[in-house]
Amino acid sequence: MNTENFSIGIWSMRKGRPANMNSEEFLYDIIKQKRQPLEVECYKFFEEEGFKFLPYYYATTIEEMQEIIDKMMDDRQNKYVFQVMSPRILHKSDFKAVILNVKAEEAMETFVNLKEKFANLGFEGVLIVPMAQDGVELIVGSTYDDTFGYITIFGIGGVFVEVLRDVSFGKSPLTKGDAKFLIDAINSQDLLNGPRGLPKLDRSAMEDFLVQFSKISCKYKNIIKEIDLNPVRITPQGIFPLDARIVFHSERC
Amino acid sequence: MYKSVLDIPGEVDAVVIAIPARFVQQVVEDCVAKQVKAVIVESGGFAEIGGEGKVMQEKLIKTIEGSNTRIMGPNCIGILSPMDGIDTIFIPRDRVGRPSLGPISFCTQSGALGSAVLDAFNHAGDGAWFSRFASYGNASDINESDLLEYFGNDKKTEIILAHLEGFKDGRRFMELAKQITPKKPVVVLKTNRTSLGAKASESHSASVAANDEVVSSLLKQHGVIRVNEFQELIRIAKVLRYQPLPMGRRVGIVTDGGGFAVSASDAVEKQGLKLGQLEPSTINTLKAKFPPWYISSNPLDLTGTVTAEEFIFGLEQFCFDPNIDIIVMIIIPSAPQFEVFEFLYHLSNFMVKVKPMHPESAKKTIFATTLGGEESDIIEAKLNKLDIPSYSTPDKGLEIAKYLVEYREFLNRHMVDEEREAC
């Protein structure tokens, strides 16, 4: 894949979503470019599907960054996570392409540094997300099983998903009853009940979230193979995915 | 004697083939020509040996393509349907007993496991056991989903047991299960757990989705009870036959052995069940009746001075208490004042005349463990007649109780759940 002169039709914050493109066309547009979607594109996709993220920004140029900083100044106490978006960077932390705890006054310097550093590594823009409040992290995922078709995954998320393996599975799409089963089936129920003063999981909201999530793979079954929302953070304001990844069927890319 | 199926005058419904593998092809061709509907190939030496056997099996399946002939097997031990007088199992009765007619139907991929289960049920005491048995071997044509569908629609089948080593059509199996489990319990012993390991993958989701854990979770999602070993198939069938499904997770323990009360309490916790909190009125009733050294709570410890009548009184009070769903009796008949026949007399009276009449006690699931010598055998024989399952240890019973509770929870979920959309 030649990524040197790669131009991506990302929905930027300023331009918004191309009016002539629905979600499916948007995914096909990425496929045409022979790549997997960037995280910011996954955010956009999930928003179209009715999921809520913490309010985030996306800056591709210094001008865009300046506009965002003006908004960031409204609440100077907030701190942000800056993440470089590039089709050549799959694991952002390996490339040190994630900067934590950025304040509004440090935003421009951070942006410029990242833009320069990753100029030759397919830099497309920076995704800017507020630092989330402490809370238990979950995983909500979907994968294609050769025997059973699409399955939805729920469990304790974060970077140690594969180590803890405290997850449950259900055939997609889930009913509300199935979603309840998936939540009840994991071992670490105490983590869902608000340990050490952390926010408690709203189980009914989680069920609705899982039901809605489980329909996506079925809806886009010709395109989507796997989805990770990991972590999904339990906050006092609700359940928010902090990271989103979509993997297309390999024959598509 | 006929040389070929084709020589038989009139229609032929079913053909059992039990000849060396290399001759099977010709007979199946004849069956197709004769328009036989059901062919049971009991012969081995097909796909299970790989290589040439696999090729021969593929050829068999090609032969029936487009015809009305269906094949069960190859490499199976046959079918049993006592009410129709059908028994094609090639192993003689003195080797594998045939259980008496009852509500259970069982399909099995492994013939050896199938014959062991038949023999074990036949040995498991009096009473009604099997309505249908099908060993489907290599599942070349008729597979686990076909049999599940058949048992699901079969009016004579009330309980479905299955042994699977793999799924020929996992999606169909789950969809069928979802239709059937709200009406009939389905118990699966799925072996062959080792998967090829987590596949290298780009997503966390795919890498944690190891095959066997997915199987377990999906079976539960669809209300199927998955057991872990062959003996559990028999243990669970004993409860499903006649005991009510537990309404919840709350266990009551009634015993004359304090030590066993403690170990059974451990097992309750290990299985994710809980000890029920008795109503204050129940505790008062128990205290009024029993000497002060009995521990009148849950577990109820009736100590070594127990009498048969006291044991039954305790059991009754637990049955009437609304905070108990499952009752475990641990009977140690060696207590000096415990008269076995008096116990059995009172127990039988209670089980037949009292328990079913009272709305609270009628809901309770009861099972027992009897620990002792000769008296144990006498008690167990009677328990069996009273449809109270007995297990060698309370732990084994509580494992089964957990399966039943999970099935109850599925039924509760299902009752209020919406229809699933297609994918």
Side-chain angles (χ1 to χ4, degrees), chain A residues 36 90 139 141-151 153 161-162 165 168-178 181 215 218 221 226-228 230 245 247, chain B residues 167 169-175 178 198-199 201-211 213-218 220-222 413 417-423:
Chain A
Q36 300 285 351
L90 266 181
I139 180 171
S142 171
T143 184
Y144 186 81
D145 183 280
D146 293 337
T147 310
F148 302 111
Y150 284 107
I151 54 175
I153 295 148
V161 168
E162 287 95 341
R165 300 189 75 88
S168 53
F169 308 94
K171 193 173 185 299
S172 305
L174 303 178
T175 61
K176 187 127 166 138
D178 293 332
F181 160 70
K215 291 176 182 167
C218 297
K221 62 182 164 194
E226 297 160 19
I227 307 172
D228 270 347
N230 182 33
R245 176 177 292 180
V247 179
Chain B
F167 292 92
D169 186 348
R171 266 166 271 200
R172 186 167 155 238
F173 188 90
M174 292 299 170
E175 290 309 327
K178 186 141 190 168
K199 289 159 272 182
S201 171
E202 290 180 68
S203 72
H204 292 287
S205 300
S207 63
V208 290
N211 191 272
E213 287 160 53
V214 172
V215 169
S216 275
S217 213
L218 264 56
K220 266 191 210 171
Q221 179 196 8
H222 294 84
R413 275 200 311 275
D417 210 5
E418 70 253 34
E419 282 287 306
R420 178 153 74 200
E421 293 170 25
C423 184

Side-chain angles (χ1 to χ4, degrees), chain A residues 63-91:
Chain A
E63 292 72 38
E64 284 177 356
M65 189 66 231
Q66 191 53 55
E67 280 178 38
I68 292 164
I69 288 170
D70 294 343
K71 290 178 200 153
M72 288 164 85
M73 284 297 181
D74 293 346
D75 188 353
R76 303 178 66 152
Q77 298 308 309
N78 270 357
K79 290 180 180 170
Y80 297 84
V81 185
F82 278 47
Q83 300 177 62
V84 174
M85 294 293 115
S86 158
R88 290 166 64 182
I89 303 177
L90 266 181
H91 299 285

Side-chain angles (χ1 to χ4, degrees), chain B residues 182-328:
Chain B
K183 292 174 235 142
K184 306 176 183 185
V186 178
V187 183
V188 164
L189 173 65
K190 163 75 176 60
T191 52
N192 194 15
R193 284 167 175 268
T194 47
S195 59
L196 297 170
K199 289 159 272 182
S201 171
E202 290 180 68
S203 72
H204 292 287
S205 300
S207 63
V208 290
N211 191 272
D212 193 61
E213 287 160 53
V214 172
V215 169
S216 275
S217 213
L218 264 56
L219 286 172
K220 266 191 210 171
Q221 179 196 8
H222 294 84
V224 177
I225 301 167
R226 182 182 188 176
V227 295
N228 290 312
E229 53 151 349
F230 143 82
Q231 290 291 349
E232 284 186 329
L233 278 177
I234 295 152
R235 289 188 206 124
I236 199 163
K238 285 184 182 179
V239 203
L240 287 172
R241 275 196 316 166
Y242 299 120
Q243 287 283 324
L245 262 192
M247 301 301 289
R249 293 186 170 242
R250 301 165 306 175
V251 179
I253 299 169
V254 179
T255 183
D256 53 330
F260 291 104
V262 176
S263 71
S265 301
D266 290 345
V268 166
E269 193 178 324
K270 188 180 159 204
Q271 297 303 333
L273 305 171
K274 53 190 176 191
L275 287 174
Q277 286 276 342
L278 294 177
E279 285 285 315
S281 61
T282 307
I283 293 174
N284 290 338
T285 309
L286 293 171
K287 280 190 170 155
K289 166 87 176 174
F290 294 143
W293 62 88
Y294 287 14
I295 299 169
S296 294
S297 57
N298 184 18
L300 175 63
D301 178 6
L302 300 163
T303 79
T305 62
V306 70
T307 65
E309 190 258 337
E310 285 171 339
F311 201 112
I312 300 300
F313 184 85
L315 173 67
E316 283 178 349
Q317 298 314 309
F318 272 57
C319 276
F320 295 140
D321 193 294
N323 303 329
I324 301 287
D325 303 307
I326 301 157
I327 296 169
V328 186

